[in-house]
Amino acid sequence: MELLSALSLGELALSFSRVPLFPVFDLSYFIVSILYLKYEPGAVELSRRHPVASWLCAMLHCFGSYILADLLLGEPLIDYFSNNSSVLLASAVWYLIFFCPLDLFYKCVCFLPVKLIFVAMKEVVRVRKIAVGIHHAHHHYHHGWFVMIATGWVKGSGVALMSHAEQLLRGVWKPETNEVLHMSFPTKASLYGAVLFTLQQTRWLPVSKASLIFVFTLFMVSCKVFLTATHSHSSPFDVLEGYMCPVLFGAGWGGEQHHHDNHGGSPAAGPGLQHPVLPAKAREELGEGARKKKTKKAD
Amino acid sequence: MELLSALSLGELALSFSRVPLFPVFDLSYFIVSILYLKYEPGAVELSRRHPVASWLCAMLHCFGSYILADLLLGEPLIDYFSNNSSVLLASAVWYLIFFCPLDLFYKCVCFLPVKLIFVAMKEVVRVRKIAVGIHHAHHHYHHGWFVMIATGWVKGSGVALMSHAEQLLRGVWKPETNEVLHMSFPTKASLYGAVLFTLQQTRWLPVSKASLIFVFTLFMVSCKVFLTATHSHSSPFDVLEGYMCPVLFGAGWGGEQHHHDNHGGSPAAGPGLQHPVLPAKAREELGEGARKKKTKKAD
Amino acid sequence: MELLSALSLGELALSFSRVPLFPVFDLSYFIVSILYLKYEPGAVELSRRHPVASWLCAMLHCFGSYILADLLLGEPLIDYFSNNSSVLLASAVWYLIFFCPLDLFYKCVCFLPVKLIFVAMKEVVRVRKIAVGIHHAHHHYHHGWFVMIATGWVKGSGVALMSHAEQLLRGVWKPETNEVLHMSFPTKASLYGAVLFTLQQTRWLPVSKASLIFVFTLFMVSCKVFLTATHSHSSPFDVLEGYMCPVLFGAGWGGEQHHHDNHGGSPAAGPGLQHPVLPAKAREELGEGARKKKTKKAD
């Protein structure tokens, strides 16, 4: 790594870390974020019937990370909304994605090669946000590792960590799951990234910030583009977690992801760990279902 | 408008904008707010069995707008509760409305002519709150239009925008709807008012603040008194929105209100827009119901 | 009380109020708090399958009071997490309670005599937190009685007042009840304690703070140890509230507690007060049940 920063790669990393995000990269971030909003069931109806709620949801998707970080650090929740140009840009994207005649804009940005470019650029923004968030938290709490990690995590994960609030705004309520229970790849990667950037910030990781941003961005972009292109929901951390979690916690949180993907196969999880945390009633039904299955197998 | 401020009407507006709100207008605000709390199903039982929860709900009804604005602007949530006299006044109103012997106080303030006076005075407070909120936000964010509009909106709408929290405190949970999805007249008017006052504050609307307060108060008072007197839930914005929304968003948010009022008639809404955003299950049932109806019609 | 502070008891109180809480008392606080988390149904499964969510829940149990107080007073929510040593200590306790081989640690701290010592030490921390919270609020709002009481209350009650958020993190959702509707003994005692300490802080209660801390700690420790030892959920305030509430509010909030403990017996509550505030559906069912019972009685 020392070597890397000595080479011309180091200079590349430095100049990469100085590329301004506004407006091109931010635009990509807004497009991909609001695309994911449009994928939500009922989102199109919502935009037709309740444009104000739909616009607020779009703003949460675009600026959720700032809102959460401001909440954690005791700053005005609405602080980022003073950037009129960003908000106007996000609003324009929202309008084009939901109300463009013939759905032209949506069809263009959904075209896979185009979408992959935007997805890649979104990850550039995400990594930069994590780095900036941790720098900001470090400014307030010089030795507050947990504060830095938390700030970096919410800056990277964004609306995912406030999905209950976002759903509630749309009149949807799914209390039995949340992003902390079932982490998606970006949320998990943001957490690991926040740990890395915190180590860098506190000088435990002997690399320059620019290099770390460069390497971590490369990692995120390649992973996310691959996952998006293959419509996969697995995660490159599964292998690592498969080794670590049984040692540390008796059973794995990575393992859970496997479970979702290939329901039938793996009898790896020990007994008593089969049911995720559901409300009592749902769990009973599930339990009953399992019992019936076992009875059938016995037959 | 320039003319208006030149005339003696301008002076009237100025002196009107300087009338102190405490205690008479604030008292009316508290009375009407806590009246609406008492109208909620279960509120009387709650006050008997859980006076602390009932009192907290009453405080949210009276001071919800301050709490929300403080949250947005990063100030202590509890800031306004340092006004002991206001809190004591609101508490006294709460006690009288819920626990007065023979329900005398409640019967008096519910008597329609008396109630209309209080309702009118509440609107005076609401408009002043919007103006003050936007002035306050402008002080922090000179060019933050969105911040100003949001602050004015929550200052005008108050507890309506935090109804989920208020309901939860009473043990009630209705996630399928909220004030942003189904805006009541005061919430909608607060939003439009916030836009107007923001335009005035940023000098885009060439009128004095006093005149705008005066005119907007007149509008709000006459509308709200009319709506309360006729027990109507329609809104004077419906006509305007009926024209604007189909152009801007394909279908209207004002139209939704109509829907609620006269269920049967209007086939105006296009296909696919018939079901509001409900939780999946409810929507399925609704869908089934609709299918059955169609089958019947086919018969 | 003046006498008390003149005697050597006063000096005892003073030196008691100066005993540092970290690490021994804080450790007890963490142990008992996380024990209560482990008692929650599904908490062990959660720790195996979703260690991050379980750890976050544990942190809410340990530091909920700080988070809530920071929220009320407009300080960074995450402020207390800059105390790395406290967070690390709490994390270690969480790990030992949930993942210690053979559940040794859990079995040790659950052994009743040991647990009673920890419970007693937790109450020492609770009372100190109330006192510190009110002192802090007084620093910001010199005459803000309501602010002081609220801050003291949330500092004493901790995670109980944010149970909805904590449950949601675990994927559990019980909107029909909350800690304000059904106050447990510590929550109620914290409220009364906050009132007492506020009176002391504003010089309405002519005792020294050290004496009040000493006396209130004695009261809390003896009550909580007795209640824990006898597995009782009743409250020493029931008698007082049984007298006060019917006078003040027509019916009592203390009475409600009785109701839960001995369902059958007491016909003390008046008619119309029988159903707690439940969601409409549950209430209907309850109503039906009651009707059936009446029919049976009529038979």
Side-chain angles (χ1 to χ4, degrees):
Chain A
M1 281 294 186
E2 297 273 3
L3 199 76
L4 180 100
S5 64
L7 288 171
S8 61
L9 263 176
E11 274 173 45
L12 176 66
L14 198 65
S15 50
F16 174 73
S17 76
R18 281 174 184 161
V19 171
L21 294 183
F22 189 84
V24 182
F25 286 88
D26 275 342
L27 182 69
S28 313
Y29 191 92
F30 300 154
I31 288 175
V32 178
S33 300
I34 296 174
L35 262 188
Y36 284 128
L37 171 61
K38 191 161 182 177
Y39 292 159
E40 294 284 329
V44 176
E45 286 172 37
L46 182 81
S47 70
R48 297 291 179 278
R49 301 183 59 82
H50 310 288
V52 173
S54 176
W55 181 80
L56 282 175
C57 276
M59 292 304 108
L60 288 186
H61 273 259
C62 292
F63 306 113
S65 56
Y66 296 102
I67 295 172
L68 273 179
D70 285 335
L71 183 66
L72 287 188
L73 295 174
E75 280 155 28
L77 285 201
I78 212 174
D79 192 69
Y80 199 78
F81 286 80
S82 59
N83 293 303
N84 295 318
S85 45
S86 287
V87 179
L88 286 174
L89 187 63
S91 303
V93 170
W94 165 76
Y95 193 85
L96 284 172
I97 284 186
F98 279 100
F99 303 109
C100 184
L102 301 173
D103 239 5
L104 263 181
F105 189 82
Y106 176 73
K107 281 170 187 161
C108 286
V109 296
C110 261
F111 180 54
L112 196 60
V114 179
K115 192 180 160 187
L116 288 183
I117 294 171
F118 286 135
V119 164
M121 288 166 86
K122 183 180 177 180
E123 294 312 308
V124 173
V125 180
R126 190 197 302 279
V127 176
R128 203 76 80 77
K129 271 181 171 177
I130 297 175
V132 170
I134 283 166
H135 185 84
H136 186 61
H138 180 253
H139 181 77
H140 287 287
Y141 299 94
H142 265 282
H143 300 287
W145 300 334
F146 294 103
V147 177
M148 283 186 250
I149 293 173
T151 310
W153 191 29
V154 301
K155 281 299 276 289
S157 310
V159 77
L161 288 179
M162 61 193 298
S163 55
H164 282 310
E166 189 264 346
Q167 288 169 0
L168 209 47
L169 195 59
R170 294 186 278 121
V172 175
W173 186 239
K174 298 174 193 156
E176 67 280 359
T177 186
N178 62 54
E179 190 69 21
V180 179
L181 288 180
H182 300 276
M183 287 196 205
S184 61
F185 167 70
T187 307
K188 220 175 243 184
S190 296
L191 180 53
Y192 292 135
V195 173
L196 283 181
F197 278 100
T198 301
L199 290 175
Q200 192 280 326
Q201 187 78 46
T202 51
R203 313 258 172 238
W204 284 79
L205 202 70
V207 293
S208 75
K209 186 175 280 180
S211 312
L212 188 58
I213 288 179
F214 188 68
V215 173
F216 197 67
T217 304
L218 274 185
F219 168 74
M220 288 297 290
V221 167
S222 47
C223 284
K224 199 72 211 306
V225 166
F226 176 77
L227 292 175
T228 308
T230 58
H231 297 286
S232 162
H233 286 282
S234 69
S235 145
F237 305 121
D238 285 356
V239 180
L240 187 73
E241 283 162 9
Y243 279 100
M244 296 291 287
C245 288
V247 176
L248 282 173
F249 307 115
W253 57 321
E256 204 273 329
Q257 193 79 31
H258 275 301
H259 232 60
H260 268 253
D261 291 338
N262 45 334
H263 279 281
S266 70
L273 302 175
Q274 273 150 355
H275 312 319
V277 179
L278 295 172
K281 204 186 153 188
R283 207 153 64 209
E284 270 168 39
E285 287 169 11
L286 220 142
E288 246 175 72
R291 235 171 294 136
K292 280 181 195 165
K293 269 189 197 166
K294 279 182 188 168
T295 324
K296 275 190 186 171
K297 276 184 186 170
D299 289 346
Chain B
M1 280 294 187
E2 297 274 3
L3 199 75
L4 182 99
S5 64
L7 288 172
S8 61
L9 264 175
E11 275 173 43
L12 177 65
L14 197 64
S15 50
F16 174 73
S17 77
R18 281 175 184 160
V19 171
L21 293 182
F22 189 84
V24 182
F25 286 87
D26 275 343
L27 181 68
S28 312
Y29 191 93
F30 299 154
I31 288 174
V32 178
S33 299
I34 296 175
L35 261 188
Y36 284 127
L37 171 60
K38 190 161 183 177
Y39 291 160
E40 294 284 329
V44 175
E45 286 171 36
L46 182 81
S47 70
R48 297 291 178 278
R49 300 183 60 83
H50 310 288
V52 173
S54 176
W55 181 81
L56 281 174
C57 275
M59 293 305 108
L60 288 186
H61 273 259
C62 292
F63 305 112
S65 56
Y66 297 102
I67 294 171
L68 273 179
D70 285 335
L71 182 66
L72 288 187
L73 295 173
E75 280 155 28
L77 285 201
I78 212 173
D79 192 68
Y80 199 79
F81 286 80
S82 59
N83 294 302
N84 295 318
S85 45
S86 287
V87 179
L88 286 174
L89 188 63
S91 304
V93 170
W94 165 75
Y95 193 84
L96 284 172
I97 283 186
F98 279 101
F99 303 108
C100 184
L102 301 173
D103 239 4
L104 262 181
F105 189 81
Y106 176 72
K107 282 170 188 162
C108 286
V109 296
C110 261
F111 180 54
L112 195 60
V114 178
K115 191 180 161 187
L116 289 182
I117 294 171
F118 287 135
V119 164
M121 288 165 85
K122 181 179 177 180
E123 295 311 308
V124 174
V125 180
R126 190 196 302 279
V127 176
R128 202 77 79 78
K129 270 181 172 178
I130 297 175
V132 170
I134 284 166
H135 185 84
H136 186 61
H138 181 255
H139 180 77
H140 287 287
Y141 299 94
H142 265 282
H143 300 287
W145 301 334
F146 294 103
V147 177
M148 283 186 250
I149 293 173
T151 310
W153 191 28
V154 302
K155 282 298 276 287
S157 308
V159 77
L161 288 180
M162 61 192 297
S163 56
H164 282 311
E166 189 264 346
Q167 287 169 0
L168 210 46
L169 195 58
R170 293 187 278 122
V172 174
W173 187 239
K174 298 174 193 155
E176 68 281 0
T177 187
N178 63 54
E179 190 69 19
V180 178
L181 288 180
H182 300 276
M183 286 196 205
S184 61
F185 166 70
T187 307
K188 222 176 242 182
S190 295
L191 179 54
Y192 291 135
V195 172
L196 284 182
F197 278 100
T198 301
L199 290 175
Q200 193 279 329
Q201 187 79 47
T202 51
R203 313 258 172 238
W204 285 78
L205 202 71
V207 293
S208 75
K209 183 175 281 180
S211 311
L212 188 58
I213 289 179
F214 188 69
V215 173
F216 197 67
T217 304
L218 273 185
F219 168 74
M220 288 296 290
V221 166
S222 47
C223 285
K224 199 73 212 306
V225 166
F226 177 78
L227 292 175
T228 308
T230 58
H231 297 286
S232 163
H233 286 282
S234 69
S235 144
F237 304 122
D238 285 356
V239 181
L240 188 73
E241 284 162 9
Y243 279 99
M244 296 291 286
C245 288
V247 176
L248 283 173
F249 306 116
W253 56 323
E256 204 273 328
Q257 192 78 34
H258 277 300
H259 232 61
H260 267 253
D261 291 337
N262 44 335
H263 278 280
S266 71
L273 302 176
Q274 273 150 356
H275 313 319
V277 178
L278 295 172
K281 205 189 153 189
R283 208 153 62 208
E284 272 168 39
E285 286 169 11
L286 219 141
E288 246 177 72
R291 237 174 293 137
K292 279 181 194 165
K293 269 189 199 168
K294 278 181 189 171
T295 326
K296 276 190 186 172
K297 275 182 188 172
D299 291 346
Chain C
M1 282 294 187
E2 299 273 4
L3 200 75
L4 182 100
S5 64
L7 288 172
S8 61
L9 264 176
E11 274 172 45
L12 176 66
L14 198 65
S15 51
F16 175 72
S17 76
R18 282 176 183 158
V19 172
L21 293 183
F22 189 85
V24 182
F25 286 88
D26 274 342
L27 181 68
S28 312
Y29 191 92
F30 299 154
I31 288 174
V32 178
S33 299
I34 297 176
L35 262 189
Y36 284 127
L37 171 61
K38 192 163 182 177
Y39 291 160
E40 295 284 329
V44 176
E45 286 171 37
L46 182 82
S47 69
R48 296 292 178 279
R49 300 183 60 82
H50 309 288
V52 174
S54 176
W55 181 80
L56 281 176
C57 276
M59 292 304 107
L60 287 187
H61 273 259
C62 292
F63 306 113
S65 56
Y66 296 103
I67 295 172
L68 273 179
D70 285 335
L71 182 66
L72 288 187
L73 295 173
E75 280 155 27
L77 285 201
I78 211 174
D79 192 69
Y80 199 79
F81 286 80
S82 59
N83 294 303
N84 295 318
S85 45
S86 287
V87 180
L88 285 174
L89 187 63
S91 304
V93 170
W94 165 75
Y95 193 85
L96 284 171
I97 284 185
F98 279 100
F99 304 108
C100 185
L102 302 174
D103 240 4
L104 262 181
F105 188 81
Y106 176 73
K107 281 171 188 160
C108 286
V109 296
C110 261
F111 179 54
L112 196 61
V114 178
K115 192 180 161 188
L116 288 183
I117 294 171
F118 287 135
V119 164
M121 288 165 87
K122 182 179 177 181
E123 296 311 307
V124 173
V125 179
R126 190 196 301 278
V127 176
R128 204 75 81 77
K129 269 182 171 177
I130 298 175
V132 170
I134 284 167
H135 185 83
H136 186 62
H138 180 254
H139 181 77
H140 287 286
Y141 299 94
H142 264 284
H143 300 287
W145 300 333
F146 294 103
V147 178
M148 283 186 251
I149 293 173
T151 310
W153 191 28
V154 300
K155 282 298 276 289
S157 308
V159 77
L161 288 180
M162 61 192 299
S163 56
H164 283 309
E166 188 264 346
Q167 288 168 1
L168 210 47
L169 195 59
R170 293 187 279 122
V172 174
W173 186 240
K174 299 174 193 156
E176 67 280 359
T177 187
N178 63 54
E179 190 68 19
V180 178
L181 287 180
H182 300 277
M183 286 196 206
S184 62
F185 166 71
T187 308
K188 221 175 242 183
S190 295
L191 179 54
Y192 292 135
V195 173
L196 283 181
F197 278 99
T198 302
L199 290 175
Q200 192 279 328
Q201 187 80 45
T202 51
R203 314 258 173 239
W204 284 78
L205 202 71
V207 293
S208 74
K209 184 176 281 181
S211 311
L212 188 58
I213 288 179
F214 187 69
V215 173
F216 197 68
T217 304
L218 274 184
F219 168 75
M220 289 296 290
V221 166
S222 48
C223 284
K224 200 72 213 309
V225 166
F226 176 77
L227 292 176
T228 308
T230 58
H231 297 285
S232 163
H233 285 282
S234 68
S235 144
F237 304 122
D238 284 356
V239 181
L240 187 73
E241 284 161 9
Y243 279 100
M244 296 292 286
C245 287
V247 177
L248 282 173
F249 306 115
W253 56 322
E256 204 273 329
Q257 193 78 33
H258 276 301
H259 234 60
H260 268 252
D261 290 338
N262 44 334
H263 279 279
S266 71
L273 302 175
Q274 273 149 356
H275 313 320
V277 179
L278 296 172
K281 204 188 153 188
R283 208 153 63 207
E284 270 168 41
E285 287 170 10
L286 219 142
E288 245 177 74
R291 236 173 293 136
K292 280 182 194 165
K293 267 188 198 168
K294 279 182 190 171
T295 324
K296 275 190 186 172
K297 275 183 189 172
D299 291 345

